[in-house]
Amino acid sequence: MQTPAATEQEAKLIRAIGVPGLTANIVNSTIGAGIFALPAVVAAQLGAASPLAYIICAVAMCLFVTSFAMAGSRVSLTGGLYAYVEVAFGRYVGFLAGVLYFLTAILAISGIVALIASSVGEFVPSLATPLGRAGIIAFIFVFLAAINIRGVRIGARAVEAVTVIKIAPLLIFIVAGLFFLRLEALAWTGWPPGDALGRSVLQLLFAFVGVEIALVPSGEVKNPARTVPRAIFIALAVTTFLYIMIQLVALGVLGDELAKFGDTALAEAAARFLGNTGRTLMLAGLVISAFGWTASDILSSPRIIFAFGRDGVIPKWFAHVHRRFHTPDVAILTYAAIAFGVSYSSTFQKLAVLSNMAVLFLYFLCCLAALVLSRRDVRSDGRPFEFRGASIVPILAMILIVWILVHATKDEFKITGACLAVASLLFLLPRLYRVAVPKNSVDGKL
């Protein structure tokens, strides 16, 4: 439940994000650097049947985002999935959801910015030094933090512009590559093994992840009951189409060779039909796509720190809103500073598995929250997103999440479990301390 002070802080934010801005933010949050590497990863396990994994992921995400839309149309607070879970289950479970989201986001953005720094170093060798790398990383975070502190409208416009720029190389790749497909390379040799398909879906699903990032600034979305569902489904349709076409072109051009090229698979495929210009275009596209994802993340993810501060989970100072620009400036600066440290230390590679598992657990909680919020008939601004048989969607989504998690390893579960245990201690210890040491007794000693 929100305190009067929290509600007052929330009211200071400006609802300036409409359907185009939120759609662009979701697309930008979803299409990142991963799409340049995942075609090779999926092809290595499934071969010509790799598009099947994309279809399964699209069906899964359709169930997930429908559940998110159901919850998002009923809860318009800043915090996105964290806020949905908190309203449904209370502060403790909401806090765990927020921690899962924060870890996923901070690790992802740190790894992607590190990738940008490495890619820029390849283009400009003089920057391929520790000092040059630190300068690139610092510039990215300072630049994007400054833009978003000056106003959510400016941040949203920047995301829309970068989204168009980052998609252009991928569209060129698709359109030009269609004329060079080898149909024999797309022929299935049989239905793929169940284990290989399940593991591929587990890996590929995170190419579709990003909705939870874009929904964090829900407190700054105009008419969320209408905007959130429309933006989610438009963005899902766009990303699914692009992903399947990219996989088909890469597979149709490279065939069995696709699996061996890794991160440079799309650049190699483009070189086959566009020469060195195509290779350069796709490498530049990787950098632009990664930067675009970072811009979208900086627009959204710092709001989880704002939400923690607003709800008193961390000091209220983190929920500070800039007097002139009406943005959560302290949260943005804090997030950027933490991400800089993690990105420079290159710890993302070691903790990437935690990011993957955290997303699935977070999605499960949000799907469950959608059921609870619907049963309680919680309402915010406008009419909730409802349709006949809506209650079955979150149930199917949770069943699918369990199926995907079956293909995870024991180590992945152990890491996630340890993280939640530490988060629980952080949440419970201050409360136990207040019970053991009453405020009056502390005041009497001062």
Side-chain angles (χ1 to χ4, degrees):
M1 298 298 291
Q2 299 299 309
T3 64
T7 303
E8 181 181 353
Q9 288 296 99
E10 190 80 21
K12 294 180 181 179
L13 300 176
I14 299 176
R15 294 189 178 273
I17 303 176
V19 173
L22 187 58
T23 300
N25 198 19
I26 295 173
V27 171
N28 209 4
S29 297
T30 304
I31 301 178
I35 190 56
F36 291 85
L38 284 170
V41 173
V42 179
Q45 299 182 79
L46 302 180
S50 54
L52 178 61
Y54 287 85
I55 294 174
I56 294 176
C57 284
V59 172
M61 287 305 301
C62 187
L63 294 175
F64 298 160
V65 300
T66 300
S67 301
F68 300 163
M70 290 170 60
S73 66
R74 293 179 178 275
V75 178
S76 62
L77 294 171
T78 294
L81 272 61
Y82 155 65
Y84 309 160
V85 173
E86 183 188 46
V87 172
F89 302 113
R91 299 185 68 184
Y92 172 62
V93 180
F95 174 73
L96 293 183
V99 169
L100 288 171
Y101 167 77
F102 178 77
L103 287 174
T104 300
I106 203 72
L107 293 171
I109 192 173
S110 299
I112 288 177
V113 171
L115 175 62
I116 294 175
S118 299
S119 300
V120 172
E122 293 181 8
F123 282 108
V124 186
S126 61
L127 294 177
T129 63
L131 183 60
R133 184 170 178 275
I136 295 171
I137 294 173
F139 172 79
I140 291 172
F141 284 122
V142 170
F143 175 71
L144 293 177
I147 287 178
N148 283 280
I149 287 176
R150 287 188 60 83
V152 67
R153 288 192 181 95
I154 298 176
R157 294 294 180 272
V159 168
E160 291 176 24
V162 173
T163 300
V164 174
I165 296 172
K166 72 186 285 187
I167 289 179
L170 296 175
L171 291 177
I172 293 173
F173 175 81
I174 293 171
V175 174
L178 287 174
F179 295 96
F180 297 88
L181 295 181
R182 294 183 294 111
L183 297 182
E184 63 273 15
L186 301 176
W188 286 27
T189 56
W191 191 266
D195 290 343
L197 181 59
R199 190 65 187 179
S200 295
V201 171
L202 175 61
Q203 294 172 322
L204 183 60
L205 182 64
F206 301 102
F208 289 82
V209 166
V211 175
E212 73 286 347
I213 298 174
L215 292 182
V216 171
S218 300
E220 295 160 276
V221 171
K222 295 185 292 186
N223 190 9
R226 170 183 176 274
T227 299
V228 171
R230 292 191 178 189
I232 284 177
F233 290 114
I234 293 173
L236 178 60
V238 171
T239 53
T240 300
F241 173 77
L242 285 175
Y243 284 174
I244 292 178
M245 293 306 300
I246 289 169
Q247 184 71 28
L248 288 175
V249 170
L251 191 62
V253 172
L254 295 178
D256 294 337
E257 294 182 274
L258 174 60
K260 71 179 184 181
F261 287 112
D263 295 351
T264 62
L266 297 193
E268 182 63 28
R272 298 290 178 92
F273 54 84
L274 293 176
N276 288 330
T277 301
R279 183 191 299 275
T280 302
L281 177 66
M282 296 313 295
L283 288 175
L286 188 155
V287 174
I288 294 172
S289 183
F291 181 81
W293 187 94
T294 304
S296 185
D297 185 76
I298 289 290
L299 170 66
S300 304
S301 292
R303 269 68 179 178
I304 199 69
I305 297 177
F306 171 88
F308 279 153
R310 176 200 65 201
D311 297 342
V313 176
I314 59 178
K316 295 284 187 180
W317 183 68
F318 287 97
H320 182 269
V321 175
H322 196 285
R323 290 185 178 181
R324 178 182 175 188
F325 302 122
H326 301 282
T327 53
D329 52 349
V330 173
I332 293 173
L333 291 174
T334 302
Y335 185 82
I338 296 173
F340 171 81
V342 177
S343 182
Y344 183 72
S345 63
S346 299
T347 57
F348 172 68
Q349 296 300 326
K350 298 179 181 179
L351 299 176
V353 63
L354 177 60
S355 175
N356 293 344
M357 295 292 291
V359 167
L360 284 174
F361 279 104
L362 179 61
Y363 280 13
F364 187 92
L365 287 175
C366 186
C367 292
L368 192 58
L371 286 176
V372 173
L373 293 171
S374 179
R375 185 168 62 249
R376 294 179 183 171
D377 196 24
V378 175
R379 294 173 181 261
S380 57
D381 301 329
R383 184 176 180 180
F385 177 61
E386 297 176 316
F387 55 93
R388 181 173 296 180
S391 61
I392 194 65
V393 174
I395 296 175
L396 292 175
M398 289 186 288
I399 293 173
L400 190 54
I401 289 173
V402 173
W403 176 78
I404 296 172
L405 286 173
V406 168
H407 297 90
T409 66
K410 291 182 180 179
D411 287 340
E412 292 170 344
F413 278 105
K414 288 179 181 178
I415 293 173
T416 306
C419 174
L420 293 177
V422 172
S424 296
L425 288 175
L426 292 175
F427 182 87
L428 296 175
L429 284 178
R431 287 156 178 77
L432 293 175
Y433 175 79
R434 285 197 293 266
V435 172
V437 184
K439 183 177 183 298
N440 291 338
S441 64
V442 175
D443 292 341
K445 295 179 181 179
L446 295 180

